[in-house]
Amino acid sequence: MKRASHGVAKLEHRGDIMKRILTMATVIGAGACGGDSEQLARAADPFCQAVWPAVDAYTAEVAAANPVPDDPRYGGTIIVGSIGEIADGMNSAVSSDYTATQHQQFVNLMTLLDYDENAVPRPYLAKSWDIADDNTSITFHLRDDVRWHDGEQTDAHDVAFTYITVTNPETAFPNAAWWDHYVKGPEGVEVIDDFTVRIGLRPHAEFLDPFRVLAILPEHLLGDVPAAELKQHPYSTQCPVGNGPFIFVSHATQDRWTFAANPAFPSDLGGRPFIDRYVYRVIPEQTTLMTELLTEEIDVYIQPRADQADQIREDPNFDLMQFTFRDYVFVAWNSRKPHLSDSRVRRALTMGTDRESIVEAILQGYGSVANGGVPPFHWAFDADLPVTVGYDPQAASALLEDAGWTDRDGDGIRENADGVRLEFSVKYNSGNQQRRDIAEIMQAQLQKIGVAVTPQVVEWATLLQQINTPELRDFDGVVMGWVVEFKLDDMDLFHSERIDQPFAWSGTQNSEIDALLEAMSETADREAAMEMWTRYQQVVMEEQPYTYFYFRDRLDGINKRIRGVEMDARGDWVNFREWYIDPSSR
């Protein structure tokens, strides 16, 4: 497909916009900063200095035109605490972090569609869509009442720009498999008019799901940025200009993000959020997070430890949210490292680890042991699949012997024929006690079969850089969590052709896994696909790119003064714009 010629005019218009913003920066920049420490802190980058005056002017304009409704639910600030930064911020083209995606979907930006509580697609930025009779294209019809937070209208050119960007290999979009069956690049998208855009595809399973997750980005601000430079661009974390229910205010690295209610959010999408201000605090230690919740320094504690759940549940001032979720926790083994390249070694590491006892100790009933990445609630999960990697230290030792690893010098640690010790590090992110426990328990248990493990703690954003950068891959093993989408697709994790992509942590290559992944992604009929999914789960168990630990229930601690909260498999922030503070406790 071709992109409409109107795109050229749009490029010229973007230049006019930036000239106007630069002019506004000169005229009202000083007044916008006005001694406010948040404003002063945010003005360091030249790009942001040009953007902020337009955002401030638009915010003032829409606040004046849209007075706060006369309803006691409006007002106040909600503070949410979590252990990690919103890595890569509001830039949906490059971010690989669950919390970032949640904020892009439900806080600062908008997706074309979202899901209701039954995972049925419903309109959001797109008011409707048409599927071609031959299933080779989707035509999205956009709302005409959504504006970027600098006053520019959100339109079809933004959708086209976002699509072209995420399908451009130079962007290194983390979930590249989403677009495997789409027509990529400019040929795959056509702007019909300012509010209609058509995207080409080949028929395949669950093709709408990516548009539930991918937040649309502003072409007028990012259209001239080379794709390879987007990840480091200040837009992401210093001055994101969204179009969603909350306007970005400021970001202090490793401390907090602040957002304000968007008074002009469309009324039939809920209108202005109830709260005036939202603060996301980074508190990289779970004991401190618990203290902050109980002393009411924060209103919401995202994902407390299982051993903290009862204290929250029993306190009359707090609610414990518990819901089935889409994530699992595992140790990814970097098979690029010689001592982890043999599947026998990786199977032995799993069989030498008592995952049942670890899961019981860590989750205390709030989850179940995982033997693969298909969640128990997913239609493709095979509950009758024989587990071939259960806890069996003797069988694990035999596998290591067979792979050539023997304790040749009697020091308790195995060596290969060249005298290289079977030792490696397992990294985990700071502040996450559960992942620390996994690394430390593995250290103790694997020592019993002659494997030396060194746990290593790394700050979250730094850890993502170390494991996601193809040229780096600075890890042996890493304890991670993975949130699957409703469209389950492991292409970016395990397909041989993707080993240089960000999420290919294991680097394993297996031709049968490749063939199954390709076939499953193209098979829309679930009954026909089920046999392939069963075989896929068997082969992954044999290959053991990961030691899978558990699927867990999602837990969140919430002050009872916060009302209207819904959380489910879609996420923690799914209806955030509807949260409000009990007026009697404000």
Side-chain angles (χ1 to χ4, degrees), residues 405-443:
W405 295 94
T406 304
D407 183 7
R408 302 170 192 272
D409 58 10
D411 67 349
I413 303 301
R414 297 174 184 271
E415 298 87 21
N416 64 12
D418 297 325
V420 177
R421 286 162 54 92
L422 186 52
E423 60 182 356
F424 49 83
S425 66
V426 171
K427 294 184 174 182
Y428 61 92
N429 59 293
S430 57
N432 194 315
Q433 183 66 42
Q434 292 180 349
R435 295 182 188 181
R436 173 181 175 178
D437 290 345
I438 287 173
E440 292 181 348
I441 295 173
M442 287 191 81
Q443 178 186 38

Short mmCIF file of all heavy atoms in Angstrom, two decimals, residues 405-443:
data_model
loop_
_atom_site.label_atom_id
_atom_site.label_comp_id
_atom_site.label_asym_id
_atom_site.label_seq_id
_atom_site.Cartn_x
_atom_site.Cartn_y
_atom_site.Cartn_z
N TRP A 405 30.70 -32.49 32.50
CA TRP A 405 31.02 -31.69 33.68
C TRP A 405 31.17 -32.60 34.89
O TRP A 405 30.19 -33.21 35.33
CB TRP A 405 29.94 -30.64 33.94
CG TRP A 405 29.85 -29.61 32.85
CD1 TRP A 405 29.03 -29.62 31.78
CD2 TRP A 405 30.64 -28.43 32.75
NE1 TRP A 405 29.24 -28.52 31.00
CE2 TRP A 405 30.23 -27.75 31.56
CE3 TRP A 405 31.65 -27.85 33.52
CZ2 TRP A 405 30.78 -26.55 31.15
CZ3 TRP A 405 32.21 -26.64 33.12
CH2 TRP A 405 31.78 -26.02 31.95
N THR A 406 32.40 -32.69 35.40
CA THR A 406 32.74 -33.58 36.51
C THR A 406 33.59 -32.81 37.52
O THR A 406 34.38 -31.94 37.14
CB THR A 406 33.54 -34.80 36.01
OG1 THR A 406 32.78 -35.47 35.00
CG2 THR A 406 33.84 -35.78 37.13
N ASP A 407 33.46 -33.17 38.80
CA ASP A 407 34.31 -32.55 39.82
C ASP A 407 35.68 -33.23 39.77
O ASP A 407 35.93 -34.23 40.44
CB ASP A 407 33.68 -32.71 41.20
CG ASP A 407 34.49 -32.03 42.28
OD1 ASP A 407 35.47 -31.31 41.95
OD2 ASP A 407 34.17 -32.19 43.47
N ARG A 408 36.56 -32.65 38.99
CA ARG A 408 37.85 -33.29 38.70
C ARG A 408 38.90 -33.03 39.77
O ARG A 408 39.89 -33.77 39.86
CB ARG A 408 38.37 -32.80 37.34
CG ARG A 408 37.38 -33.09 36.21
CD ARG A 408 37.75 -32.42 34.90
NE ARG A 408 36.65 -32.49 33.93
CZ ARG A 408 36.46 -33.50 33.09
NH1 ARG A 408 37.30 -34.53 33.10
NH2 ARG A 408 35.43 -33.48 32.26
N ASP A 409 38.72 -31.97 40.57
CA ASP A 409 39.74 -31.66 41.58
C ASP A 409 39.23 -31.81 43.00
O ASP A 409 39.94 -31.47 43.97
CB ASP A 409 40.30 -30.25 41.37
CG ASP A 409 39.22 -29.17 41.42
OD1 ASP A 409 38.08 -29.51 41.81
OD2 ASP A 409 39.52 -28.01 41.08
N GLY A 410 38.01 -32.32 43.17
CA GLY A 410 37.48 -32.61 44.49
C GLY A 410 37.10 -31.40 45.32
O GLY A 410 36.89 -31.53 46.53
N ASP A 411 36.92 -30.22 44.69
CA ASP A 411 36.56 -29.03 45.47
C ASP A 411 35.06 -28.83 45.58
O ASP A 411 34.59 -27.82 46.12
CB ASP A 411 37.21 -27.78 44.87
CG ASP A 411 36.67 -27.42 43.49
OD1 ASP A 411 35.94 -28.25 42.90
OD2 ASP A 411 36.97 -26.32 43.00
N GLY A 412 34.26 -29.76 45.04
CA GLY A 412 32.82 -29.67 45.13
C GLY A 412 32.17 -28.98 43.94
O GLY A 412 30.93 -28.97 43.83
N ILE A 413 32.96 -28.40 43.04
CA ILE A 413 32.43 -27.73 41.86
C ILE A 413 32.92 -28.48 40.62
O ILE A 413 34.11 -28.82 40.50
CB ILE A 413 32.88 -26.25 41.79
CG1 ILE A 413 32.44 -25.51 43.05
CG2 ILE A 413 32.32 -25.58 40.54
CD1 ILE A 413 30.96 -25.51 43.30
N ARG A 414 32.02 -28.69 39.68
CA ARG A 414 32.35 -29.45 38.48
C ARG A 414 33.22 -28.62 37.52
O ARG A 414 33.09 -27.39 37.45
CB ARG A 414 31.07 -29.89 37.77
CG ARG A 414 30.21 -30.83 38.59
CD ARG A 414 28.89 -31.13 37.92
NE ARG A 414 28.05 -31.97 38.75
CZ ARG A 414 28.06 -33.30 38.75
NH1 ARG A 414 28.87 -33.94 37.89
NH2 ARG A 414 27.27 -33.99 39.55
N GLU A 415 34.04 -29.34 36.76
CA GLU A 415 34.85 -28.72 35.70
C GLU A 415 34.67 -29.54 34.42
O GLU A 415 34.31 -30.71 34.46
CB GLU A 415 36.35 -28.71 36.06
CG GLU A 415 36.72 -27.90 37.29
CD GLU A 415 36.61 -28.71 38.56
OE1 GLU A 415 36.64 -29.96 38.47
OE2 GLU A 415 36.46 -28.09 39.64
N ASN A 416 34.94 -28.89 33.29
CA ASN A 416 34.94 -29.64 32.04
C ASN A 416 36.33 -30.16 31.75
O ASN A 416 37.25 -30.00 32.58
CB ASN A 416 34.38 -28.80 30.88
CG ASN A 416 35.24 -27.59 30.56
OD1 ASN A 416 36.39 -27.46 31.05
ND2 ASN A 416 34.72 -26.69 29.74
N ALA A 417 36.53 -30.76 30.58
CA ALA A 417 37.82 -31.37 30.26
C ALA A 417 38.95 -30.36 30.21
O ALA A 417 40.13 -30.72 30.38
CB ALA A 417 37.72 -32.11 28.92
N ASP A 418 38.61 -29.08 29.98
CA ASP A 418 39.63 -28.03 29.95
C ASP A 418 39.88 -27.41 31.31
O ASP A 418 40.65 -26.45 31.43
CB ASP A 418 39.21 -26.93 28.97
CG ASP A 418 39.12 -27.45 27.53
OD1 ASP A 418 39.94 -28.32 27.17
OD2 ASP A 418 38.22 -26.99 26.79
N GLY A 419 39.21 -27.92 32.33
CA GLY A 419 39.40 -27.39 33.68
C GLY A 419 38.57 -26.16 33.99
O GLY A 419 38.75 -25.54 35.05
N VAL A 420 37.66 -25.79 33.10
CA VAL A 420 36.80 -24.62 33.33
C VAL A 420 35.71 -25.00 34.32
O VAL A 420 35.01 -26.01 34.14
CB VAL A 420 36.17 -24.13 32.01
CG1 VAL A 420 35.22 -22.96 32.28
CG2 VAL A 420 37.26 -23.72 31.03
N ARG A 421 35.57 -24.22 35.38
CA ARG A 421 34.58 -24.50 36.41
C ARG A 421 33.16 -24.18 35.92
O ARG A 421 32.96 -23.24 35.16
CB ARG A 421 34.87 -23.67 37.67
CG ARG A 421 36.06 -24.18 38.47
CD ARG A 421 36.58 -23.10 39.43
NE ARG A 421 35.56 -22.56 40.32
CZ ARG A 421 35.28 -23.03 41.54
NH1 ARG A 421 35.95 -24.08 42.02
NH2 ARG A 421 34.37 -22.45 42.29
N LEU A 422 32.21 -24.97 36.41
CA LEU A 422 30.81 -24.72 36.09
C LEU A 422 30.28 -23.69 37.10
O LEU A 422 29.66 -24.02 38.12
CB LEU A 422 29.99 -26.01 36.14
CG LEU A 422 28.52 -25.91 35.68
CD1 LEU A 422 28.41 -25.26 34.31
CD2 LEU A 422 27.87 -27.29 35.69
N GLU A 423 30.56 -22.44 36.80
CA GLU A 423 30.16 -21.35 37.69
C GLU A 423 29.66 -20.18 36.85
O GLU A 423 30.15 -19.94 35.75
CB GLU A 423 31.31 -20.92 38.59
CG GLU A 423 32.52 -20.43 37.86
CD GLU A 423 33.67 -20.06 38.81
OE1 GLU A 423 33.47 -20.13 40.03
OE2 GLU A 423 34.75 -19.72 38.30
N PHE A 424 28.71 -19.46 37.40
CA PHE A 424 28.14 -18.31 36.69
C PHE A 424 27.35 -17.46 37.67
O PHE A 424 27.06 -17.88 38.80
CB PHE A 424 27.24 -18.77 35.54
CG PHE A 424 26.25 -19.83 35.92
CD1 PHE A 424 25.04 -19.50 36.52
CD2 PHE A 424 26.52 -21.17 35.68
CE1 PHE A 424 24.13 -20.47 36.87
CE2 PHE A 424 25.61 -22.15 36.03
CZ PHE A 424 24.41 -21.80 36.63
N SER A 425 26.99 -16.27 37.22
CA SER A 425 26.18 -15.37 38.05
C SER A 425 24.72 -15.44 37.61
O SER A 425 24.41 -15.77 36.47
CB SER A 425 26.68 -13.93 37.93
OG SER A 425 26.47 -13.44 36.61
N VAL A 426 23.83 -15.13 38.54
CA VAL A 426 22.41 -14.97 38.26
C VAL A 426 22.02 -13.58 38.75
O VAL A 426 22.08 -13.29 39.94
CB VAL A 426 21.55 -16.05 38.95
CG1 VAL A 426 20.06 -15.71 38.81
CG2 VAL A 426 21.83 -17.42 38.35
N LYS A 427 21.63 -12.72 37.82
CA LYS A 427 21.30 -11.34 38.15
C LYS A 427 19.82 -11.20 38.47
O LYS A 427 18.98 -11.98 38.01
CB LYS A 427 21.67 -10.40 36.99
CG LYS A 427 23.17 -10.33 36.72
CD LYS A 427 23.51 -9.32 35.65
CE LYS A 427 25.02 -9.17 35.50
NZ LYS A 427 25.39 -8.16 34.49
N TYR A 428 19.51 -10.18 39.27
CA TYR A 428 18.12 -9.84 39.58
C TYR A 428 18.08 -8.34 39.86
O TYR A 428 19.11 -7.71 40.13
CB TYR A 428 17.60 -10.64 40.77
CG TYR A 428 18.35 -10.40 42.07
CD1 TYR A 428 17.93 -9.42 42.97
CD2 TYR A 428 19.50 -11.13 42.38
CE1 TYR A 428 18.63 -9.19 44.16
CE2 TYR A 428 20.20 -10.90 43.55
CZ TYR A 428 19.76 -9.94 44.43
OH TYR A 428 20.46 -9.70 45.59
N ASN A 429 16.88 -7.77 39.79
CA ASN A 429 16.79 -6.31 39.94
C ASN A 429 16.67 -5.90 41.41
O ASN A 429 16.07 -6.59 42.23
CB ASN A 429 15.62 -5.74 39.13
CG ASN A 429 14.28 -6.30 39.52
OD1 ASN A 429 14.03 -7.48 39.30
ND2 ASN A 429 13.41 -5.47 40.09
N SER A 430 17.26 -4.78 41.72
CA SER A 430 17.27 -4.26 43.09
C SER A 430 15.86 -4.01 43.58
O SER A 430 14.97 -3.62 42.82
CB SER A 430 18.08 -2.97 43.16
OG SER A 430 17.56 -2.00 42.26
N GLY A 431 15.64 -4.27 44.87
CA GLY A 431 14.35 -4.01 45.49
C GLY A 431 13.36 -5.14 45.39
O GLY A 431 12.32 -5.10 46.04
N ASN A 432 13.66 -6.17 44.58
CA ASN A 432 12.70 -7.25 44.39
C ASN A 432 13.13 -8.45 45.24
O ASN A 432 13.97 -9.25 44.84
CB ASN A 432 12.61 -7.63 42.92
CG ASN A 432 11.40 -8.50 42.63
OD1 ASN A 432 11.11 -9.44 43.36
ND2 ASN A 432 10.69 -8.17 41.56
N GLN A 433 12.51 -8.56 46.41
CA GLN A 433 12.89 -9.59 47.36
C GLN A 433 12.62 -10.98 46.82
O GLN A 433 13.40 -11.92 47.04
CB GLN A 433 12.14 -9.39 48.68
CG GLN A 433 12.52 -10.37 49.78
CD GLN A 433 13.96 -10.20 50.24
OE1 GLN A 433 14.42 -9.08 50.40
NE2 GLN A 433 14.67 -11.31 50.44
N GLN A 434 11.51 -11.15 46.08
CA GLN A 434 11.19 -12.47 45.56
C GLN A 434 12.26 -12.96 44.59
O GLN A 434 12.67 -14.12 44.64
CB GLN A 434 9.83 -12.44 44.88
CG GLN A 434 8.66 -12.24 45.84
CD GLN A 434 7.32 -12.23 45.15
OE1 GLN A 434 7.24 -12.18 43.93
NE2 GLN A 434 6.25 -12.27 45.92
N ARG A 435 12.72 -12.09 43.73
CA ARG A 435 13.74 -12.50 42.76
C ARG A 435 15.08 -12.72 43.45
O ARG A 435 15.85 -13.61 43.06
CB ARG A 435 13.84 -11.47 41.64
CG ARG A 435 12.56 -11.40 40.83
CD ARG A 435 12.61 -10.42 39.68
NE ARG A 435 11.27 -10.28 39.09
CZ ARG A 435 11.00 -9.52 38.06
NH1 ARG A 435 11.96 -8.80 37.48
NH2 ARG A 435 9.76 -9.44 37.58
N ARG A 436 15.36 -11.93 44.46
CA ARG A 436 16.57 -12.18 45.26
C ARG A 436 16.49 -13.55 45.92
O ARG A 436 17.48 -14.30 45.92
CB ARG A 436 16.72 -11.09 46.32
CG ARG A 436 17.86 -11.34 47.30
CD ARG A 436 17.95 -10.23 48.33
NE ARG A 436 18.96 -10.54 49.34
CZ ARG A 436 19.28 -9.73 50.35
NH1 ARG A 436 18.66 -8.56 50.48
NH2 ARG A 436 20.20 -10.08 51.22
N ASP A 437 15.33 -13.89 46.49
CA ASP A 437 15.17 -15.19 47.13
C ASP A 437 15.41 -16.32 46.14
O ASP A 437 16.07 -17.33 46.47
CB ASP A 437 13.76 -15.32 47.71
CG ASP A 437 13.53 -14.42 48.92
OD1 ASP A 437 14.53 -13.91 49.48
OD2 ASP A 437 12.36 -14.21 49.29
N ILE A 438 14.88 -16.18 44.92
CA ILE A 438 15.08 -17.22 43.90
C ILE A 438 16.56 -17.41 43.62
O ILE A 438 17.06 -18.54 43.60
CB ILE A 438 14.32 -16.84 42.62
CG1 ILE A 438 12.81 -17.03 42.82
CG2 ILE A 438 14.80 -17.69 41.43
CD1 ILE A 438 11.97 -16.54 41.66
N ALA A 439 17.28 -16.31 43.41
CA ALA A 439 18.72 -16.41 43.11
C ALA A 439 19.49 -17.05 44.25
O ALA A 439 20.37 -17.89 44.03
CB ALA A 439 19.26 -15.02 42.79
N GLU A 440 19.15 -16.68 45.47
CA GLU A 440 19.90 -17.19 46.63
C GLU A 440 19.57 -18.65 46.93
O GLU A 440 20.45 -19.43 47.30
CB GLU A 440 19.65 -16.30 47.84
CG GLU A 440 20.25 -14.91 47.68
CD GLU A 440 20.02 -14.01 48.88
OE1 GLU A 440 19.21 -14.38 49.76
OE2 GLU A 440 20.67 -12.94 48.96
N ILE A 441 18.31 -19.04 46.76
CA ILE A 441 17.94 -20.44 46.99
C ILE A 441 18.55 -21.32 45.89
O ILE A 441 19.05 -22.43 46.17
CB ILE A 441 16.42 -20.61 47.04
CG1 ILE A 441 15.86 -19.88 48.25
CG2 ILE A 441 16.05 -22.09 47.10
CD1 ILE A 441 14.34 -19.83 48.31
N MET A 442 18.56 -20.84 44.65
CA MET A 442 19.22 -21.58 43.59
C MET A 442 20.70 -21.76 43.90
O MET A 442 21.29 -22.83 43.66
CB MET A 442 19.06 -20.87 42.25
CG MET A 442 17.68 -20.95 41.64
SD MET A 442 17.65 -20.35 39.93
CE MET A 442 18.24 -21.80 39.06
N GLN A 443 21.32 -20.72 44.41
CA GLN A 443 22.74 -20.80 44.78
C GLN A 443 22.98 -21.96 45.74
O GLN A 443 23.90 -22.77 45.54
CB GLN A 443 23.18 -19.49 45.43
CG GLN A 443 24.64 -19.49 45.88
CD GLN A 443 25.00 -18.22 46.64
OE1 GLN A 443 24.20 -17.70 47.42
NE2 GLN A 443 26.20 -17.70 46.41
#
